[in-house]
Amino acid sequence: MANTISSGVAMVQTLESWGVDHIYGIPGGSINNVMYALRDEEEAGRIKYIHVRHEEVGSLAAVSDGRVTGKIGVAFGSAGPGATHLFQGAYDAKMDKVPTLFLVGQVGHGQMNMDFFQEQDEDRLFGDAAIYNRTVTTAEQLPHVVDEAIRQAYVNHGPSVVVIPNDLAGVQIPADGYYSAADNFVKAQAPAPSDDDVDAAISLINQAKKPVLYIGQGTRGAADEVMALSKKLNLPIIHAALAKDIIPYDFPAFLGSSLRVSTKPANEALAETDLIFFDGSNFPFAEIWFNPKAKFIQIDNNPAMLGKRHKTDIAMWADDKKALTKFIDRSDQVIESKWYKDNIANADNWRDYNEKMMNKTDGDLRFEPVFKEINRIAKDDALFSVDVGDITMNAVRLIKSTGKQRWFTSGLFATMGSGLPGALAAQLSFPDRQVFSLAGDGAESMVMQDLITQTMYKLPIINVVFKNDELGFIVDEQEDEGERRFGVSLGGVDFAKVAEAHGVQGISVTEVSQLKKAFDDAVEITAGGDPVLIDIQITGERPIPAEKLEIDSETNSAEAIARFKKRYYAEDLKTLKEIERE
């Protein structure tokens, strides 16, 4: 009799062939046969099951696996509510174009189309989110469909969904009746751009009076080339928020990011620029924020991105590193321009302001001194999983990236509660590296039940919760719209006690003087292999709105400028125009 294998085990072994070494999920009646296969493979030491407390946490962690490793992440859930909980991660993966696989339980074939308990049309549910979406119909095809789902996720940069009727994963199939394409799969690489396109782009840059280089995640791995080109062609560098960690914080011409999750130098440079060299980014606000009359050069390794966000003068489907190298080789060193020097001075002025705020010890505890301690203890290759809201903006501005650290968040979908799941993914993928989870109290409240997951799997994550007892980012929006605060209060959760209840050591901080010891203790605790949570009670003071500065005398009254500078401690902050006039 021919050797057989359960289709569920064949499916899990297919996952393993693609390099998957852990998978997130929660058991349920409609996914149990997958669970049994996963159990057998885990007991054989080939894959690890991570039992989260909410399918959404598992789904968001799987997406972050792809963000931090480039390797596909996998999460599963049962039919009905398990599927709907996974849906958030599917959209997060779609929007940020992260290869991710979601395995969704379904009732058995005999109960399908019968309005059975927890039955749901899951094909329709995931139809808009998934780039590949299939329901398995025979046991023999289960490993094949999963194999194809992974290939499609990589090729099309997004989530794949495989719906598995529960009566299929336990069926025996021929042991030699399936195969994986993993060993033969080659990720497509974009070419180098043509010499003519590069020469034409260099000519446009040299003609511009105020050019900038705007980078996105496509330049990851090409930081040296980005900085070399910046120096050679006098291009100040602006980054999309998700590319925060590519260039070191202290590179002189590194201006930061734009719009609201932004820095002052970047916004001011974009307001004046006459040429944008847009490389490897899908910045969604470009259409409403960038000057439509600016010359626009674009490089992207995905041709679907070319011309998507701005009228493009020169567009190149190309590998970013190859393209930047060719730009460097084919261009001549230009004399340092006043525009370049003025933007460096503006960046210095902005860094001086942030340094002053991080060293602020008088008055109540603001968020900036917390980042001073984070920077102090952060290792050279630390990973930061950053939630959304004010914490995103503050981390973009204040984390002093080394160029070796990783910084990631939920980008285009901006899913609150993504910080803790992202930290799980980072620590599981890089057990020997320091991992931070940075979140506001609103976001932490959504996922704090999965602190127990850190305890169960001994993940020495440093959780930092910035607690101001309200949804700060929304409060700021309501202020900008001239409305009174409404629906933004969070009460006053003691996250240190919540952490202790989940087996995570909790530390409470209410004063600036307590910060240093708290972070020193966190280092000691995590060195012992245990997670820690620092609950920091900060003021509700607003971060300086870099997109709505009131310090330009040409557009603001002296009274308005004085009021703005007093509120944000910005007495020494200069505008780019002031620096240009000096």
Side-chain angles (χ1 to χ4, degrees):
M1 182 176 178
N3 290 332
T4 62
I5 187 174
S6 81
S7 63
V9 169
M11 179 201 73
V12 176
Q13 290 182 357
T14 299
L15 296 177
E16 294 162 5
S17 72
W18 285 93
V20 175
D21 57 14
H22 61 269
I23 178 172
Y24 310 90
I26 296 178
S30 57
I31 200 77
N32 275 343
N33 279 315
V34 170
M35 285 292 301
Y36 304 147
L38 183 59
R39 173 201 62 199
D40 293 346
E41 288 299 285
E42 183 179 72
E43 288 176 350
R46 288 190 282 266
I47 196 168
K48 191 169 188 176
Y49 163 52
I50 306 300
H51 181 191
V52 292
R53 291 302 180 273
H54 196 301
E55 290 94 346
E56 183 172 321
V57 168
S59 72
L60 293 170
V63 180
S64 283
D65 275 329
R67 287 191 179 107
V68 299
T69 68
K71 205 168 62 172
I72 196 162
V74 186
F76 69 85
S78 59
T84 56
H85 289 165
L86 288 175
F87 187 74
Q88 186 70 38
Y91 246 93
D92 212 58
K94 174 188 177 177
M95 297 296 281
D96 280 356
K97 301 188 181 304
V98 182
T100 317
L101 174 63
F102 299 98
L103 304 174
V104 184
Q106 180 58 285
V107 301
H109 274 90
Q111 290 82 42
M112 291 176 69
N113 305 315
M114 300 291 288
D115 297 327
F116 195 69
F117 175 69
Q118 291 190 331
E119 184 190 359
Q120 181 184 39
D121 187 347
E122 289 162 347
D123 286 342
R124 181 177 296 181
L125 171 67
F126 288 97
D128 184 54
I131 51 87
Y132 179 86
N133 182 26
R134 297 289 189 275
T135 294
V136 176
T137 57
T138 69
E140 288 78 10
Q141 71 179 220
L142 174 55
H144 290 286
V145 172
V146 167
D147 189 58
E148 180 64 14
I150 295 172
R151 291 198 317 113
Q152 292 292 336
Y154 277 127
V155 170
N156 294 303
H157 311 287
S160 284
V161 175
V162 177
V163 179
I164 308 170
N166 190 45
D167 54 349
L168 295 184
V171 175
Q172 295 292 307
I173 64 174
D176 59 357
Y178 72 100
Y179 64 89
S180 166
D183 288 343
N184 307 116
F185 181 73
V186 178
K187 293 182 183 178
Q189 285 201 351
S194 71
D195 292 351
D196 288 345
D197 280 346
V198 172
D199 292 344
I202 291 170
S203 178
L204 274 185
I205 294 169
N206 288 336
Q207 292 171 41
K209 294 180 179 179
K210 296 182 176 182
V212 297
L213 174 57
Y214 192 103
I215 66 168
Q217 290 198 91
T219 61
R220 197 170 296 283
D224 289 343
E225 289 78 8
V226 169
M227 291 185 285
L229 189 63
S230 168
K231 294 177 190 176
K232 193 167 190 181
L233 295 183
N234 282 199
L235 297 169
I237 301 169
I238 302 170
H239 67 83
L242 297 179
K244 147 79 179 175
D245 54 349
I246 293 175
I247 306 300
Y249 175 86
D250 58 2
F251 182 71
F254 193 40
L255 306 187
S257 60
S258 61
L259 197 58
R260 185 174 175 192
V261 180
S262 65
T263 64
K264 171 187 160 298
N267 281 342
E268 291 181 318
L270 276 174
E272 293 193 27
T273 184
D274 57 358
L275 181 143
I276 302 169
F277 187 162
F278 195 67
D279 190 2
S281 177
N282 183 29
F283 181 58
F285 299 100
E287 292 150 293
I288 61 173
W289 189 247
F290 290 1
N291 177 5
K293 295 181 180 179
K295 295 293 185 181
F296 203 77
I297 300 166
Q298 185 175 6
I299 297 173
D300 207 287
N301 61 12
N302 181 355
M305 297 295 107
L306 298 175
K308 181 176 181 177
R309 300 300 188 184
H310 196 284
K311 181 182 180 299
T312 305
D313 295 277
I314 299 174
M316 289 171 263
W317 174 55
D319 174 82
D320 300 89
K321 192 178 182 76
K322 294 174 184 175
L324 291 167
T325 299
K326 184 169 276 195
F327 268 82
I328 294 166
D329 291 344
R330 297 186 69 83
S331 61
D332 296 321
Q333 178 69 53
V334 302
I335 299 171
E336 191 171 60
S337 67
K338 187 174 187 306
W339 166 252
Y340 193 63
K341 288 188 286 189
D342 287 344
N343 275 281
I344 289 174
N346 199 25
D348 287 341
N349 180 244
W350 173 250
R351 280 190 282 261
D352 288 344
Y353 167 75
N354 286 322
E355 203 66 34
K356 178 186 76 172
M357 297 304 292
M358 284 191 280
N359 283 288
K360 187 172 172 52
T361 58
D362 59 316
D364 294 331
L365 174 54
R366 290 174 55 92
F367 60 87
E368 293 98 340
V370 182
F371 280 93
K372 176 183 177 181
E373 297 304 316
I374 291 171
N375 287 323
R376 179 178 66 85
I377 69 163
K379 294 184 178 179
D380 195 47
D381 63 349
L383 297 106
F384 297 96
S385 179
V386 182
D387 221 298
V388 304
D390 275 352
I391 184 63
T392 321
M393 176 164 42
N394 297 332
V396 161
R397 295 174 178 178
L398 300 174
I399 290 177
K400 297 182 178 181
S401 299
T402 62
K404 298 177 182 177
Q405 295 166 338
R406 282 300 312 274
W407 182 102
F408 58 97
T409 188
S410 172
L412 286 182
F413 215 47
T415 299
M416 279 184 70
S418 59
L420 188 154
L424 294 177
Q427 197 71 83
L428 286 163
S429 297
F430 299 99
D432 297 325
R433 289 173 66 176
Q434 185 187 48
V435 174
F436 290 83
S437 170
L438 307 181
D441 42 353
E444 191 74 10
S445 296
M446 293 184 168
V447 291
M448 58 189 177
Q449 76 284 334
D450 268 281
L451 287 167
I452 191 64
T453 308
Q454 298 181 14
T455 301
M456 284 181 60
Y457 297 98
K458 289 191 69 67
L459 303 175
I461 295 165
I462 300 175
N463 301 273
V464 184
V465 180
F466 293 75
K467 185 172 69 178
N468 58 5
D469 302 328
E470 62 186 6
L471 297 171
F473 201 79
I474 308 305
V475 167
D476 300 344
E477 288 180 340
Q478 292 179 352
E479 176 186 339
D480 290 342
E481 292 164 5
E483 300 290 344
R484 292 178 287 111
R485 296 185 183 191
F486 183 75
V488 293
S489 298
L490 294 172
V493 177
D494 188 331
F495 289 97
K497 286 184 178 179
V498 170
E500 295 285 356
H502 288 83
V504 175
Q505 294 196 51
I507 301 171
S508 294
V509 173
T510 58
E511 299 175 5
V512 178
S513 61
Q514 298 169 339
L515 281 172
K516 185 176 185 303
K517 183 179 187 307
F519 279 86
D520 286 342
D521 289 347
V523 170
E524 185 175 347
I525 291 166
T526 53
D530 296 315
V532 63
L533 184 146
I534 310 176
D535 176 330
I536 305 177
Q537 183 70 57
I538 60 171
T539 70
E541 293 174 273
R542 181 177 181 173
I544 187 169
E547 80 288 3
K548 299 176 80 69
L549 293 170
E550 297 179 31
I551 60 175
D552 186 351
S553 60
E554 294 180 9
T555 55
N556 298 279
S557 67
E559 293 78 9
I561 293 172
R563 184 169 58 248
F564 184 91
K565 287 193 171 185
K566 181 179 180 181
R567 178 178 179 181
Y568 297 108
Y569 311 93
E571 295 82 4
D572 300 323
L573 205 56
K574 299 178 181 179
T575 66
L576 176 58
K577 291 178 181 177
E578 287 179 286
I579 291 171
E580 288 174 328
R581 288 194 293 265
E582 290 177 350

